[in-house]
Amino acid sequence: MLRFLAGRLISMVLTIWAISFVAFAIIQLPPGDYLTAYMATVSAAGERVNPAELEAMRRQYGLGDPFLVQYWKWITGIFTNGDFGRSFEWKRPVTELIWGRLGNSILLEGLAVLVMWLVALPIGVYAAVRKYSLGDYLATVFGFLGLAVPNFLFALVLMYLSYVWFGNTLGGLFSREFETAHWSLPRLWDFLTHAWAPVIVLATAGTAQLIRIMRANLLDELKKPYVTTARSKGLPEWKVIVKYPVRVALNPLVSTIGWLLPTLVSSSVIVSVVMNLPTAGPLLLRSLTSQDMYLAGAIIMLLGVLTVVGTLVSDLILAWLDPRIRYGGGQ
Amino acid sequence: MLKRILHRYAPAPAGRSRNAAAILLAGIALSPLPALAQQQAPMLDEGVASGELPPVAERLPKNPLVVQPLESVGKYGGVWRMGLRGGDDNGMIAKTVAYEGLVRWDHSWEKVIPNLAVSWEISDDATEYTFKLREGLKWSDGHPLTSEDIAFAVEMFNNPEYPANSNWIDVQSNPASVEVIDEITFKFVFEKPNGTLMDTLASINGTQVLTIPKHYCGQFYPGTNPDAAKMATDAGFQNWSFLMEDKCAWGWETSRWTNPELPTISPWIVKEPLSGDAARIIWERNPYYWKVDTEGNQLPYIDRLNMRVSQSLEELTLLALNGEIDFQDRHIATNANQAVFFDGQDKGDYRLGKVVQSTSSSLVLQLNLNHDDPVKRALFQNKDFRIGLSHAIDRQEIIDVVFIGQGEPFQVAPRPESPFYDEKMAKQYTEFDPELAAKHLDAAGLTEKDGGGTRLMSDGRPVRITVDVIAALRPEWVDMLELMQLQLAGAGIDIEINNIDRALFYDKRPNNDYDAQVWAGDGGLDVMQEPRYYFPSSPESVWAYKWQAWYTGAEPSIAEEPADWAKKQMELYNELNAEGDAERRSELMREILAIARENFPVIGVSLMPDGYYIAKNNLRNVAPSMINAWLFPEPGGYDPVQWYFE
């Protein structure tokens, strides 16, 4: 087990390094750089940018350097003192900008995952056990509705209904007095009173998928001889299902936990923009359009790190859930 | 109807006795200084009582600017709620709280009136401008504002190590410098004449010289503080200019509003600043603000501003409908929302007011007259071709479909409200006439057609024009282009709509990598200040990017000698710039416009319909009709300092 862990950790570091390189390369792909984007805004505002000054800024920001030099400066900064560079647009250190938003993202999306699982798994089990029953069809219809309605549209409808029925606008994640406060119990409560709407929106999208996967996996398992054996030995029905087939059926779900977070962050960008949520999504979007490369690079890289860490976690859970995995990975 | 008379305060009236510089004591038109005891907002009482703030009389200058309230003298208090689009909406902040320069425009955008400066004097050759500031002006931290501050700001703009940009201070061909005469008197000096400087100073661009206070920002500059370099490296910056940029910025740079310590002269100062993750920005009254009402009450009336920072226009729209926005038009007052806002007036307890746009045409189709492809270049430069295109566009259909019938067919020309309005220029070639269109297109040499009915160019290729557009900026542009695409297809012209990002849009210009681009018709009211469509005057003149490069000298590598008519216009504009007399300047502008009318370089669609604003019913002293332009900021130009809540 320890060797398994050590091997994974080494490969993780290499993966993260590769991610950082790719992330940095990707954001350099579009034409121009931050200064061309900046010049576009300034120029549209009726100002003229003096080309000599633009050149000076380009030198000062190091934008004229070759790609590898820029990358080297950035990555050594990160590994030697956790400095992710400065955001051009905000003229602030990147680290100052992202932690709070990333925290909000993780909290919000963690909640959405939790809700998704709590809703989808029982429904999936039920749909498999009572195949082709009325309940199965209802669950399927419900799930597919959630999948079919675009997240942003659902968010808009919720906001509109909330305005029409309750006379308030859903938006943001905190009340005015808690926006800049530190985390505390009252702030958490305030967060929850605001977060329910985005959590519902985010959770519905994945629910249908989970229901279908759970249902299909479980149906496969239920046909297997060990289930028949267990039944014939007189095990109570709930125990027959929950103790073995469900556990096995969870396997593919658990092994993809690592992908959940990045998927949620990317799928929640539009919802976050529509509902004005202070999460990492809108910041990433904005930094990409203004070609604020250190900020965008940092967010993309951190999402990559989250994926890698998430995969490790899912492997560990899987090893616990399904002991067969350990032999394959460890030896 | 608005009437604009420019440069009323320029020297030498009627062009005579131009050797005698005119000293203009402005402010005489305003009411005399009130004799009543000066009062302040209740929220400041405590500060004065505890000794934290000096009494109001000591905070105000000796001759504060007296603002005539629009309806009535107001009362103190309240929070003005509004919404910013995302964190980078610094333009809106500038237009709302930061329109404070040496001089300003009056409400009708007709004449330059005093602001921080009480009087000014212009030399005959328009190279020296002497200003006198109000006596006893103070920054928001109580420190005196003097001529030194102006000199310092100009020095910083001119410093090549500091990346501050301006279109009138650090201009390569004619940079501004400042001569300090005494504490409140100073002089802008130019090598070459700068005849339009007063217009610039009264516009939002004029506020730039008041954004870098010497007593505060000087500490970050090695020229005034020998320890500045060390200070910067200690704070973790590469060099002094990064630290200074972080603390002071310039103009209306976003980062300027992230530092609550930076002293300003604005009516409200930032308390909860803008940052990457701020959900709102809170502003509080500036206790040293230097304007009073006619009864001597220190302005502003409104205590605080609460700007919601939202990426979501939907959220802002709902907030407004729900009565949670006190005044706003930017972002939410769109064409599409108009009916919804009209219907929601009772429920949201707000009213709608009129906003006149300064732009002339709703869309300007700019063909690239400097195209690298010689066939396309010849075609685009052919006036018959452009006239043919223009006649092939059914403008009424576009107006009916996209603008719900608002507006009228209009070329890119001064608006009817402008003194430069020229009906012929505005209306020429606007009638939809397929036959006439075909005649002109034939005359342009496009007589052959391919099997699909598309006309063929001289080398046998079909006429296919890729039109770059940024849908994110104005969604209706794409709607309009789609209609135009169908209409032009009928005339045998194939246009392809290329919806791209703003950065790419600009990136294509220096590379000359575009057939055509669209934008709005700037210069409808600010004819002289924004002549980008009348002649190749700036990098925004995309229709002749290489010609403007030749004129502005900005990018010599791509510059190309313009056509004779454009060169003539450039000469006229240079003459205009050097001209001290307002009448003569108008005359020269008319000549430039006449050449533009004759050569018809760009194609317009329809007169930009009036916009609207939303104001809560209890918000008073708001002008019922406002002009909106970047150079004449709205609502800043309409004195929000005298707005109040009933």
Side-chain angles (χ1 to χ4, degrees):
Chain A
M1 190 64 188
L2 274 180
R3 272 189 60 187
F4 164 73
L5 254 181
R8 290 305 300 270
L9 285 176
I10 292 172
S11 70
M12 267 172 68
V13 171
L14 288 175
T15 316
I16 290 172
W17 173 74
I19 290 173
S20 76
F21 187 80
V22 173
F24 202 74
I26 287 176
I27 50 180
Q28 301 254 20
L29 282 181
D33 52 30
Y34 168 71
L35 287 178
T36 32
Y38 167 79
M39 201 180 81
T41 358
V42 168
S43 184
E47 272 181 277
R48 313 271 178 274
V49 179
N50 186 332
E53 257 156 18
L54 207 62
E55 211 33 62
M57 278 168 95
R58 187 160 275 142
R59 255 201 320 278
Q60 217 164 27
Y61 288 152
L63 287 172
D65 293 344
F67 167 72
L68 282 177
V69 174
Q70 291 190 34
Y71 173 72
W72 179 248
K73 279 186 193 163
W74 184 59
I75 202 72
T76 46
I78 294 175
F79 281 118
T80 51
N81 47 11
D83 174 14
F84 282 83
R86 286 176 75 75
S87 156
F88 296 136
E89 182 159 28
W90 296 103
K91 310 260 163 37
R92 308 247 143 250
V94 166
T95 42
E96 205 176 284
L97 293 170
I98 52 178
W99 293 122
R101 282 185 171 250
L102 220 54
N104 291 343
S105 277
I106 293 173
L107 198 60
L108 189 69
E109 274 125 24
L111 274 176
V113 171
L114 203 68
V115 169
M116 195 161 89
W117 282 52
L118 285 180
V119 174
L121 293 188
I123 295 181
V125 173
Y126 176 86
V129 176
R130 298 262 184 279
K131 190 167 56 151
Y132 304 133
S133 68
L134 181 68
D136 180 18
Y137 284 123
L138 274 180
T140 309
V141 168
F142 167 77
F144 273 87
L145 267 180
L147 189 69
V149 176
N151 277 355
F152 78 92
L153 188 69
F154 189 23
L156 278 178
V157 169
L158 260 187
M159 286 167 79
Y160 179 71
L161 291 181
S162 159
Y163 156 69
V164 173
W165 290 343
F166 308 114
N168 68 18
T169 41
L170 295 171
L173 281 179
F174 300 100
S175 307
R176 152 117 180 70
E177 59 270 30
F178 287 109
E179 263 160 12
T180 47
H182 287 286
W183 281 106
S184 61
L185 275 182
R187 188 173 197 243
L188 188 67
W189 175 246
D190 183 66
F191 171 79
L192 290 177
T193 57
H194 283 81
W196 64 269
V199 164
I200 289 177
V201 172
L202 292 175
T204 46
T207 308
Q209 250 176 333
L210 264 186
I211 293 176
R212 294 313 282 180
I213 295 174
M214 189 64 203
R215 182 178 179 274
N217 288 343
L218 196 54
L219 278 177
D220 279 350
E221 289 301 317
L222 285 177
K223 284 186 216 131
K224 291 197 172 154
Y226 74 89
V227 180
T228 321
T229 315
R231 255 192 211 126
S232 67
K233 295 237 170 184
L235 223 59
E237 183 64 17
W238 68 268
K239 210 167 177 180
V240 169
I241 292 168
V242 174
K243 186 118 184 167
Y244 301 104
V246 168
R247 202 165 148 180
V248 177
L250 278 176
N251 185 323
L253 294 179
V254 171
S255 58
T256 53
I257 286 181
W259 306 346
L260 274 175
L261 261 170
T263 323
L264 273 169
V265 169
S266 53
S267 70
S268 72
V269 171
I270 303 181
V271 175
S272 296
V273 169
V274 168
M275 303 189 86
N276 191 27
L277 309 175
T279 59
L283 197 63
L284 174 62
L285 184 68
R286 177 68 213 155
S287 62
L288 287 175
T289 49
S290 65
Q291 307 207 18
D292 197 346
M293 60 178 183
Y294 295 125
L295 181 55
I299 300 177
I300 294 177
M301 185 177 155
L302 287 174
L303 288 183
V305 171
L306 282 178
T307 319
V308 173
V309 173
T311 310
L312 179 72
V313 171
S314 70
D315 281 354
L316 291 179
I317 300 179
L318 210 55
W320 165 77
L321 195 72
D322 187 347
R324 290 171 297 176
I325 305 289
R326 257 172 284 177
Y327 303 118
Q331 303 306 314
Chain B
M1 182 113 126
L2 294 153
K3 212 171 160 238
R4 295 190 58 231
I5 304 156
L6 294 164
H7 322 295
R8 180 172 290 176
Y9 278 84
R16 281 176 288 108
S17 62
R18 291 185 50 199
N19 48 354
I23 299 178
L24 288 147
L25 271 175
I28 39 170
L30 299 165
S31 357
L33 200 64
L36 286 166
Q38 282 162 339
Q39 294 163 40
Q40 64 178 355
M43 74 175 276
L44 297 176
D45 289 347
E46 201 183 315
V48 175
S50 70
E52 209 178 298
L53 280 177
V56 63
E58 287 170 34
R59 298 200 307 268
L60 284 168
K62 279 194 182 133
N63 46 348
L65 177 65
V66 181
V67 178
Q68 176 77 48
L70 194 78
E71 296 162 5
S72 59
V73 167
K75 61 179 192 194
Y76 287 118
V79 180
W80 166 5
R81 296 162 300 171
M82 61 193 294
L84 297 181
R85 181 171 193 182
D88 57 321
D89 198 4
N90 51 339
M92 184 155 176
I93 297 177
K95 292 180 85 164
T96 307
V97 302
Y99 179 49
E100 296 292 2
L102 294 168
V103 289
R104 62 193 283 122
W105 289 109
D106 69 349
H107 290 193
S108 50
W109 199 8
E110 278 175 14
K111 62 177 190 220
V112 177
I113 57 172
N115 204 41
L116 282 167
V118 276
S119 64
W120 53 92
E121 183 185 325
I122 306 168
S123 72
D124 291 345
D125 57 356
T127 57
E128 293 192 3
Y129 288 73
T130 313
F131 284 89
K132 219 171 197 44
L133 295 169
R134 285 171 203 285
E135 222 174 306
L137 281 169
K138 291 182 180 66
W139 292 97
S140 57
D141 60 353
H143 201 276
L145 189 168
T146 67
S147 306
E148 289 289 346
D149 288 303
I150 312 283
F152 182 72
V154 168
E155 186 188 336
M156 293 317 301
F157 271 95
N158 280 325
N159 187 324
E161 282 174 63
Y162 196 61
N165 285 295
S166 162
N167 62 346
W168 65 276
I169 303 173
D170 54 344
V171 181
Q172 279 161 310
S173 55
N174 194 16
S177 60
V178 173
E179 235 175 72
V180 173
I181 295 165
D182 61 36
E183 275 219 332
I184 54 165
T185 322
F186 65 93
K187 203 190 268 185
F188 284 120
V189 184
F190 297 88
E191 275 170 38
K192 296 178 205 159
N194 191 345
T196 50
L197 183 71
M198 288 316 293
D199 289 1
T200 308
L201 287 178
S203 79
I204 189 129
N205 293 335
T207 63
Q208 288 166 342
V209 282
L210 292 148
T211 53
I212 314 182
K214 186 178 186 182
H215 72 281
Y216 177 79
C217 298
Q219 60 178 315
F220 309 114
Y221 177 47
T224 42
N225 176 8
D227 297 332
K230 192 176 169 300
M231 214 165 134
T233 38
D234 286 352
F237 291 89
Q238 281 176 42
N239 57 43
W240 69 268
S241 85
F242 275 93
L243 176 61
M244 184 152 158
E245 201 183 325
D246 185 58
K247 296 288 184 190
C248 295
W250 60 86
W252 40 90
E253 279 288 297
T254 317
S255 49
R256 189 175 147 68
W257 318 113
T258 59
N259 179 13
E261 285 170 20
L262 179 66
T264 80
I265 44 157
S266 302
W268 295 278
I269 47 186
V270 66
K271 281 287 159 187
E272 277 181 31
L274 184 62
S275 70
D277 53 357
R280 70 187 72 236
I281 312 174
I282 305 287
W283 305 73
E284 211 169 84
R285 65 167 61 253
N286 170 2
Y288 291 92
Y289 194 63
W290 37 280
K291 292 184 188 174
V292 295
D293 68 13
T294 43
E295 288 182 5
N297 300 306
Q298 189 189 21
L299 295 172
Y301 291 131
I302 297 176
D303 283 340
R304 288 187 183 86
L305 262 62
N306 176 344
M307 297 180 178
R308 172 81 173 155
V309 179
S310 179
Q311 288 285 351
S312 169
L313 295 191
E314 292 76 20
E315 193 202 13
L316 294 182
T317 306
L318 284 175
L319 283 176
L321 282 170
N322 211 22
E324 293 174 51
I325 278 183
D326 295 298
F327 176 92
Q328 185 155 353
D329 66 316
R330 193 168 156 113
H331 307 314
I332 54 172
T334 59
N335 251 324
N337 280 348
Q338 193 161 7
V340 182
F341 278 129
F342 186 80
D343 291 342
Q345 289 184 85
D346 285 340
K347 193 180 170 199
D349 192 28
Y350 59 80
R351 63 182 187 272
L352 303 185
K354 182 170 145 184
V355 177
V356 178
Q357 307 294 340
S358 69
T359 40
S360 60
S361 195
S362 50
L363 179 142
V364 184
L365 178 61
Q366 306 183 69
L367 297 170
N368 182 358
L369 302 192
N370 300 152
H371 208 293
D372 283 336
D373 176 345
V375 179
K376 281 193 173 170
R377 169 192 293 235
L379 184 65
F380 294 168
Q381 287 203 12
N382 189 318
K383 189 177 152 192
D384 268 315
F385 177 65
R386 298 193 299 272
I387 295 176
L389 285 189
S390 189
H391 279 305
I393 298 169
D394 185 351
R395 292 178 169 76
Q396 198 54 49
E397 186 185 30
I398 295 175
I399 292 166
D400 290 342
V401 174
V402 181
F403 295 101
I404 341 166
Q406 295 178 82
E408 52 182 281
F410 211 79
Q411 292 292 6
V412 182
R415 287 180 65 99
E417 297 92 346
S418 163
F420 292 107
Y421 177 67
D422 168 357
E423 194 180 335
K424 185 170 172 230
M425 182 174 185
K427 295 292 178 181
Q428 64 179 352
Y429 320 127
T430 54
E431 65 273 27
F432 173 53
D433 188 340
E435 274 174 40
L436 199 55
K439 223 172 84 187
H440 280 287
L441 292 174
D442 286 344
L446 302 171
T447 44
E448 303 291 317
K449 286 187 183 176
D450 69 4
T454 306
R455 290 171 185 268
L456 301 176
M457 298 191 290
S458 57
D459 60 353
R461 283 179 298 160
V463 184
R464 181 163 295 135
I465 307 169
T466 307
V467 183
D468 298 339
V469 58
I470 313 172
L473 212 61
R474 293 257 172 85
E476 71 255 26
W477 281 343
V478 174
D479 301 340
M480 297 171 78
L481 281 174
E482 279 172 354
L483 288 169
M484 286 163 70
Q485 193 175 33
L486 293 172
Q487 296 162 356
L488 291 174
I493 306 292
D494 190 4
I495 65 170
E496 190 187 328
I497 303 167
N498 185 27
N499 181 6
I500 51 177
D501 177 70
R502 196 160 182 166
L504 181 58
F505 193 81
Y506 275 81
D507 218 43
K508 291 174 103 181
R509 296 176 179 182
N511 300 327
N512 204 22
D513 176 24
Y514 57 96
D515 288 342
Q517 295 198 327
V518 300
W519 201 259
D522 297 61
L525 288 177
D526 34 359
V527 180
M528 215 183 282
Q529 295 144 295
E530 188 46 273
R532 58 166 80 159
Y533 301 122
Y534 305 130
F535 81 97
S537 59
S538 82
E540 296 298 318
S541 309
V542 191
W543 53 280
Y545 197 85
K546 292 184 167 185
W547 292 353
Q548 70 78 25
W550 184 87
Y551 176 62
T552 56
E555 284 153 294
S557 55
I558 58 160
E560 192 181 288
E561 195 174 338
D564 289 340
W565 57 268
K567 247 160 86 182
K568 174 76 186 151
Q569 286 178 310
M570 292 167 181
E571 278 162 28
L572 288 167
Y573 199 74
N574 286 345
E575 200 182 321
L576 182 156
N577 246 333
E579 178 58 57
D581 177 40
E583 284 303 314
R584 177 76 189 123
R585 277 205 299 262
S586 295
E587 246 170 64
L588 289 164
M589 193 65 218
R590 274 177 226 284
E591 273 183 62
I592 294 173
L593 289 171
I595 298 175
R597 182 184 70 197
E598 176 56 35
N599 290 281
F600 187 52
V602 294
I603 300 170
V605 176
S606 68
L607 190 65
M608 195 74 168
D610 286 341
Y612 58 100
Y613 66 74
I614 289 163
K616 287 289 275 189
N617 283 327
N618 64 345
L619 184 67
R620 305 318 311 173
N621 281 352
V622 184
S625 170
M626 303 186 186
I627 301 171
N628 180 24
W630 171 247
L631 294 174
F632 175 57
E634 171 269 349
Y638 293 89
D639 296 313
V641 291
Q642 46 93 43
W643 292 1
Y644 72 98
F645 290 101
E646 243 167 14

